[in-house]
């Protein structure tokens, strides 16, 4: 039986090999019988007793070589495990006894309640069991730090089905006060770097460190990391040299070594070489490792500790099961004796090393190879004071490690994945994971497991953070997403006390509760992104970025809580033009704060990027900052060694809104801005009249000012459009995009952050006018910036005939740049403080150091026209009415169930919101009004006006909520219907909608909405209007929802407007039946479904292209329509996740997942209008070949003919077709609004074009 087991496990199929195994086992059995007989005779002679009651699994204690442990024992006195328990038994080492592993043994299970020591004098011993449990009071010792196990020792976990009630199956683990000590042969270094570049077929590698001095040996397996986002490979050392090794097989790819020089600066961009051999090996059965996704796991929990050094753990992790990781500290609380050092984790199904609910551990110098999901993981959010240092995580191919796991989907994976933030992250290296180091605190905003609702990971401060390297990762390298460290009050277990009050933005008296962390000496290269969407109070010191697709990616930030100025200090951003990867672009944050860069240099350059530094990425949109009048402060920012032919500065990036393009401000005291004190947007033509000088293309035609320009902000509810008058704004309004009147001081509301913003000249006087119906705070610039420039700064502001001086030193209590966009704990709702300057009753009230009584606001009527009788259901059908109903379809309703939003309330019973307000005193009197989609906070009830969707119903009815999906018929409604889509009319951009012809325009054709913040919101209004045929939108907030029965049949060229038709695709001819196939049809109902392949369990990242930041379903549809291989989409509007499915067989199944929508794409039908647009062009070219993630440019497969400002893809193609020498176009990928900069390219050689993840190329063919 033992031989049969061995044959099955080792895959021996040879009859000869099998007979050898049987013979060996037979000899072993005879030897065991002889041993038992000899022991029995000796025992009988000594004790005059006989052996009675022996079974296969147990023997009388008189037959066991055992002893009660004494303070001093010789090794000969220790009980031998091999003779104490019968082979194949459930073996237990009893409490109070010490046994010795001095021969190989195989058990069903092994439980250690006493002490089990490994004989360090014996080589190649193997201990096999279904699991090894170190129980309460037990101790497993495989070597010690003073006497490590230098010889080969193997703990082999078999797959025999035995399950422990706590630790599960197939494990080496400890519980209670159990202790695990494993100390293999120590290596001076577990990894090194290539000292010179290795090339394909090369088998001698030059190393940075000497292999003999590191403790490496002949026959060791080593891994060589990719340096080209390619494959990392495994080799065997066949000989050792001085700082070199010879390997088999030879290299298959080029791997960089040593240093690379860019503009006189040297950077060590070298492949990691990791040693995966260890004297102690923990392994096990793995014949079905890829099918079951399960191997062994190791775990320590309780009050004991695990100290494992220089061992290899392989074929480990159980992906379908929570908590089954390769190496795992589990809920040990404070455990300074817990150590994982120098280990090799090879082939893990779920996480290499996990620290869970445990503090003060050391995880150091481990190497992890193909640990799927995550390399290192802190799990619950309360983990703190652990040190993760000098570890190397390598995935041989990021797609292998990018897997769905029990705590996240495939995209939520990283080399280091931290939910517990307060740990030391020092000199780790991550290669070719989906993300390098990720801190997704907002992903687990309330913690998880035992820490659920006891922590706020997004605001936990970091420990020491320095010297980490991330390269060749598929998405982000360093990814400090949405982290705002704060002064938390925590207990000894990391839990935040006092109901998590210290998680909040402010202290009770309104002070900034942040605490500054420094991230030092980070080195990132060959990643797509580096940075974060939003962080605050985190300073980068000596940060280096080389040849990333984004040298820095950042959307939101804030002023430092301790008053320091520099967000980027002593940092380098470089691009080696000889390297095929990346561009040199810093896409920076926005918001009303000062963003500082000091002693930063930009070196080299390659293909043209958006700009070297672009201020205001994604500003004014979901996920971005706002208002967008950020102040970029430069000191010794050096562009002199830039070689890329691109702009130095840009106002706004990756945003369809106009705020950032007009409001961003750059300032400097030195020569960083060419000697100017301020540089503002060229759209502010009034600033030119005030003395600023128009600069050239390098500054995006901005205006250089010797005067000081600063930000001015107004905080409070939406008061419509405001008008700022004064220096810089004494010009006529330019209403075209992106100015939209901002050049003349017309300020639009930023509804994501509840505020207004504009640049102003310090020392000047301004007047602000508008329809102020609520208290609002006004503020000017920042104290730290004024202190840096050496003078108090101020403006004079008049509102309603009252003038106040606003100073940069004014009190900022309860004011932050996040508004309500900061999430549960990050938001800072409007709080009026006695020292604020406030708009009250239409007049400005100057800030006062003593409290000022706040008068009650004057009640005002609901600011919408009354609705005729029958416009809504009877109040008896309205849910959650708070005992008050009013005329005109208005009622006081409970706020809680609907998040304080009237649009959510009205939609809950099939109505649409017409108005929303806070009531005066539990009655119909309005205290203040808000937009329908804005939450009214701090109240238990809200005043909502609701109506039937078309406002024209003449009889009462109770309508159920309707889906946003439409049928092709106007007479039926269903919750599972084919989908309509928005089509651009006349190209969409700069087109105003018209009726039968370009001159046919009537106000009867549409319903007009003002103050609509985005085109997505305008589309939503159309979707919710049963008669909608399309929209016309202007970014000033004008939204026309067209209801003309014949629809939109024409358009007219009008700058700043966009026109979309909302319909099914037109039939091929008039004789085609009306029920034509639609572009998109729902899979299994569509809503609440996630797409799958052949079955509900068939899901692979290779089936789709993944896009982020696409929150509108129709925009995701548009990405599919534009993709030549699209078969369908999966979309989540909340996360902005859009999967464009390209699986050959398409979407064939789905699974129920809340929040997702799955649609199959039927392909674009050929219509007369479409064939006219696509069949021929001016030059007769008819076909475009799509090349995703490809860029052709000067010196790399093409000649750049011209760069066009962001336009639609169709317009970019038209521009190319109109240029005789144009053979293709390059566009940026992943733009949610469908617009991108457009590069016209000639002399195309596709073989010489380069791979770039965020570029797409379209090749024009005859």
């Amino acid at each position: 039986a033992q031989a049969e087991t061995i044959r099955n496990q080792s895959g021996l199929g040879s009859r000869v090999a099998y007979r050898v195994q049987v013979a060996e086992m037979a000899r072993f059995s005879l030897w065991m019988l002889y041993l038992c007989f000899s022991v029995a005779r000796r025992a009988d002679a000594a004790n005059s007793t006989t052996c009675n009651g022996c079974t296969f699994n147990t023997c009388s204690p008189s037959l066991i070589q055992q002893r009660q442990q004494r303070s001093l024992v010789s090794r000969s006195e220790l009980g031998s495990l091999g003779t104490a328990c019968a082979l194949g038994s459930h073996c237990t080492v009893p409490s109070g006894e010490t046994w010795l592993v001095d021969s190989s043994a195989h058990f069903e299970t092994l439980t250690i309640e006493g002490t089990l020591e490994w004989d360090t004098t014996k080589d190649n011993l193997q201990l096999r069991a279904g699991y090894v449990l170190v129980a309460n009071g037990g101790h497993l010792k495989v070597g010690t730090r003073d006497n490590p196990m230098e010889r080969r020792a193997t703990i082999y976990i078999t797959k025999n089905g035995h399950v422990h009630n706590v630790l599960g199956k197939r494990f080496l683990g400890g519980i209670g006060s159990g202790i695990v000590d494993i100390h293999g042969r120590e290596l001076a270094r577990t990894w090194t770097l290539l000292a010179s570049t290795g090339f394909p077929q090369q088998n001698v590698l030059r190393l940075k460190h000497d292999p003999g001095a590191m403790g490496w040996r002949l026959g060791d397996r080593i891994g060589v990391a990719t340096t080209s986002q390619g494959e990392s490979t495994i080799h065997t050392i066949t000989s050792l040299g001085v700082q070199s090794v010879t390997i088999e097989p030879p290299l298959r790819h080029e791997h960089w070594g040593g240093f690379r020089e860019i503009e006189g600066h040297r950077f060590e961009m070298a492949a990691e070489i990791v040693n995966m051999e260890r004297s102690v090996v923990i392994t096990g059965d793995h014949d079905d490792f890829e099918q079951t996704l399960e191997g062994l796991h190791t775990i320590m929990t309780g009050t004991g500790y695990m100290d494992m050094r220089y061992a290899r753990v392989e074929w480990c992790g159980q992906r379908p099961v929570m908590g089954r990781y390769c190496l795992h500290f589990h809920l040990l609380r404070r455990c300074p004796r817990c150590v994982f050092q120098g280990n090799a984790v090879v082939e893990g199904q779920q996480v290499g090393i996990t620290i869970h609910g445990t503090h003060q551990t050391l995880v150091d110098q481990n190497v992890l190879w193909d640990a799927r999901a995550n390399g290192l993981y802190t799990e619950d959010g309360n983990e703190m004071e652990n040190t993760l240092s000098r570890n190397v995580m390598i995935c041989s191919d990021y797609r292998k490690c990018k897997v769905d796991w029990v705590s996240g989907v495939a995209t939520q994976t990283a080399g280091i994945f931290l939910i517990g933030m307060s740990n030391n992250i020092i000199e780790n290296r991550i290669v070719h994971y989906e993300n390098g180091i990720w801190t997704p605190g907002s992903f687990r905003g309330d913690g998880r497991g035992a820490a659920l609702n006891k922590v706020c990971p997004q605001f936990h401060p970091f420990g020491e953070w320095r010297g980490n390297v991330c390269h060749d990762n598929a998405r982000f390298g360093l990814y400090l997403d949405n982290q705002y460290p704060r002064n938390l009050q925590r207990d000894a277990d990391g839990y935040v006390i006092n109901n998590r009050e210290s998680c909040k933005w402010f202290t009770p008296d309104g002070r900034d509760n942040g605490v500054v962390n420094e991230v030092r000496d980070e080195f990132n290269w060959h990643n797509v992104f580096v940075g974060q969407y939003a962080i605050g109070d985190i300073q980068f010191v000596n940060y280096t970025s080389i040849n990333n697709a984004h040298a820095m990616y950042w959307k939101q930030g804030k002023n430092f809580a301790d008053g320091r100025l520099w967000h980027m200090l002593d940092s380098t951003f470089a691009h080696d033009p000889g390297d095929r990867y990346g561009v040199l672009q810093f896409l920076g944050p926005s918001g009303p704060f000062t963003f500082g860069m000091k002693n930063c240099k930009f070196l080299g350059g390659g293909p043209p990027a958006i700009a070297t530094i672009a201020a205001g990425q994604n500003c004014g949109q979901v996920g971005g900052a706002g208002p967008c009048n950020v102040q970029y402060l430069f000191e010794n920012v050096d562009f002199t060694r830039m070689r890329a032919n691109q702009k130095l500065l840009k106002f706004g990036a990756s945003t369809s809104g106009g705020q950032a393009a007009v409001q961003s401000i750059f300032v400097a005291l030195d020569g960083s801005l060419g000697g100017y004190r301020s540089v503002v947007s060229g759209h502010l033509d009034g600033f030119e009249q005030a003395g600023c000088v128009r600069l050239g293309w390098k500054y995006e035609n901005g205006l250089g000012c010797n005067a000081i320009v600063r930000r001015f902000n107004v905080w409070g509810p939406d008061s419509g459009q405001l008008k700022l008058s004064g220096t810089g704004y004494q010009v006529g309004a330019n209403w075209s995009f992106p100015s939209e009147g901002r050049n003349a001081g017309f300020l639009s509301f930023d509804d994501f952050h509840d505020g207004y913003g504009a640049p102003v000249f310090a020392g000047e006087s301004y007047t602000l006018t508008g329809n102020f119906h609520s208290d609002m705070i006004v503020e000017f610039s920042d104290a730290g910036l004024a202190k840096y420039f050496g003078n108090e700064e101020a403006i004079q502001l008049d509102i309603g005939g009252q003038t106040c001086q606003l100073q940069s030193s004014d009190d900022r209590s309860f004011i932050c740049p996040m508004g309500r966009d900061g999430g549960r704990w990050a938001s800072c709702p409007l709080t009026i403080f006695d020292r604020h300057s406030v708009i009250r009753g239409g007049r400005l009230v100057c800030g006062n150091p003593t409290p000022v009584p706040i008068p009650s606001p004057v009640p005002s009527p609901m600011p919408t026209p009354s609705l005729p009788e029958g416009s809504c259901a009877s109040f008896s059908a309205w849910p959650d009415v708070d005992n008050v109903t009013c005329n005109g379809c208005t009622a006081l309703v409970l706020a809680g169930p609907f998040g304080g939003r009237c649009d959510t309330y009205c939609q809950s019973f099939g109505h649409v919101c017409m108005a929303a307000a806070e009531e005066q005193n539990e009655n119909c009197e309005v205290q203040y009004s808000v937009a329908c989609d804005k939450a009214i906070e701090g109240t238990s009830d809200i005043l909502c006006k609701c109506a039937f969707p078309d406002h024209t119903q003449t009889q009462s009815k109770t309508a159920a909520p309707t889906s946003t999906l439409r049928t092709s018929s106007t007479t039926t409604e269903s919750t599972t219907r084919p989908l309509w889509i928005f089509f651009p009319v006349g190209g969409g951009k700069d087109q105003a909608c018209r009726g039968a012809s370009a001159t046919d325009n009537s106000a009867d054709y549409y319903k007009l909405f003002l103050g609509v913040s985005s085109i997505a919101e305008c589309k939503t209004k159309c979707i919710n209007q049963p008669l909608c045929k399309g929209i016309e939108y202007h970014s000033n907030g004008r939204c026309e929802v067209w209801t003309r029965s014949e629809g939109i049949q024409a358009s007219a060229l009008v700058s700043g407007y966009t026109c979309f038709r909302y319909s099914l695709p037109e039939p091929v001819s008039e004789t085609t039946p009306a029920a034509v196939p639609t572009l998109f049809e729902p899979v299994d109902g569509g809503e609440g479904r996630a797409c799958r392949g052949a079955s509900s369990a068939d899901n692979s990242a290779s089936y789709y292209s993944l896009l982020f930041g696409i929150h509108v379903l129709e925009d995701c549809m548009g990405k599919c329509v534009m993709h030549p291989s699209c078969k369908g989409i999966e979309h989540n509007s909340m996360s902005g996740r859009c999967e464009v499915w390209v699986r050959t067989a398409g979407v064939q199944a789905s699974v129920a997942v809340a929040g997702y929508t799955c649609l199959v794409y039927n392909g674009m039908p050929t219509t007369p209008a479409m064939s006219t647009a696509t069949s021929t062009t001016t030059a007769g070219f008819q076909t475009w070949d799509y090349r995703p993630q490809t860029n052709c440019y000067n010196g790399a497969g093409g000649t750049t003919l011209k760069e066009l400002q962001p336009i639609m893809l169709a317009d970019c193609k038209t521009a190319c077709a109109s240029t005789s020498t144009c053979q293709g176009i390059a566009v940026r990928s992943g733009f949610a609004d469908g617009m991108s900069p457009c590069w016209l390219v000639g002399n195309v050689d596709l073989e010489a074009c380069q791979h770039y993840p965020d570029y797409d190329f379209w090749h024009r063919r005859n």
Side-chain angles (χ1 to χ4, degrees), residues 1242-1262:
N1243 302 318
V1244 174
D1245 177 5
L1246 292 175
E1247 295 299 320
C1249 295
Q1250 306 297 305
H1251 170 74
Y1252 279 95
D1254 56 348
Y1255 283 82
D1256 293 336
F1257 191 78
W1258 294 79
H1259 184 217
R1260 180 176 172 225
R1261 295 193 294 115
N1262 282 313

Side-chain angles (χ1 to χ4, degrees), residues 824-895:
R824 175 177 178 186
W825 298 105
S827 62
C828 40
L830 180 67
T831 303
I832 304 297
F833 193 63
D834 54 13
R835 291 191 289 273
H836 294 153
S837 292
V838 179
I839 304 170
R840 180 171 295 135
R843 291 166 58 87
L844 184 59
V845 178
C846 301
N848 192 314
T850 59
V852 177
I854 302 176
S856 299
V858 178
S860 59
M862 181 71 79
T864 57
S866 61
L867 297 174
E869 184 178 355
S871 296
C872 59
S874 66
F875 287 124
S876 62
W878 289 40
D880 295 294
V881 175
D882 194 14
N883 300 318
V884 177
T885 58
C886 314
N887 294 330
C889 294
T890 302
L892 188 65
V893 302
L894 297 180

Side-chain angles (χ1 to χ4, degrees), residues 303-316:
T303 59
Y305 69 84
M306 179 180 285
D307 187 345
M308 186 186 299
R309 307 181 196 228
Y310 303 100
R312 183 171 80 240
V313 181
E314 62 185 13
W315 309 112
C316 51

Side-chain angles (χ1 to χ4, degrees), residues 905-912 947-949 957-962:
Y905 172 78
C906 297
Q907 290 169 11
S908 72
F909 64 108
H911 285 50
V912 294
F948 289 128
K957 62 180 182 179
T958 303
T962 58

Side-chain angles (χ1 to χ4, degrees), residues 755-802:
Y756 299 82
V760 295
F761 285 102
E764 297 294 333
S765 298
Y766 293 89
T767 299
L768 186 68
T769 57
N771 182 23
F772 305 109
H773 53 76
S774 299
D775 286 359
M776 306 183 78
I777 301 171
V778 293
E779 68 158 343
F780 167 73
S781 193
D782 299 306
L785 187 57
K787 182 178 179 181
Y788 175 78
F789 271 73
N791 294 294
E792 177 63 71
E793 298 172 353
I795 61 170
Q796 297 291 325
L797 180 66
D798 178 279
I799 302 175
Q802 175 65 48

